[in-house]
Amino acid sequence: MDLVITVVHVYARDSAVSCHVTSFIRVTGGKIAEMDEYWGDGGPPPQWRLDKQIGTAIR
C-alpha cells in the first residue's frame, strides 16, 4: 500500500471562507482505498487557544 499526504489551503473565490486541509490517502492497485481528511478553519484562533498560547501563525 502507498500513502499520499496532502496539505492545502482551500478558499472561496471571494475569500469569504478559508480552510486548511490535511489529507491522508492510501492507494492500493492504483486506486484510492482509503482517505482521511482533517479540516481547520482559516480564521483567527479561538480565545481559549490564545489564552493557552497554543500553536503558531501560518504564514
Side-chain angles (χ1 to χ4, degrees):
M1 232 186 307
D2 292 317
L3 176 64
V4 177
I5 301 171
T6 65
V7 179
V8 298
H9 185 194
V10 178
Y11 54 93
R13 288 182 191 216
D14 64 0
S15 299
V17 178
S18 172
C19 296
H20 297 276
V21 186
T22 304
S23 302
F24 299 88
I25 304 163
R26 293 202 181 274
V27 179
T28 304
K31 295 182 181 181
I32 295 173
E34 182 180 341
M35 182 167 68
D36 291 313
E37 288 188 327
Y38 299 90
W39 288 68
D41 182 2
Q47 188 60 48
W48 67 267
R49 283 191 56 194
L50 294 172
D51 293 343
K52 292 182 179 254
Q53 299 179 350
I54 296 174
T56 58
I58 298 173
R59 298 172 196 225

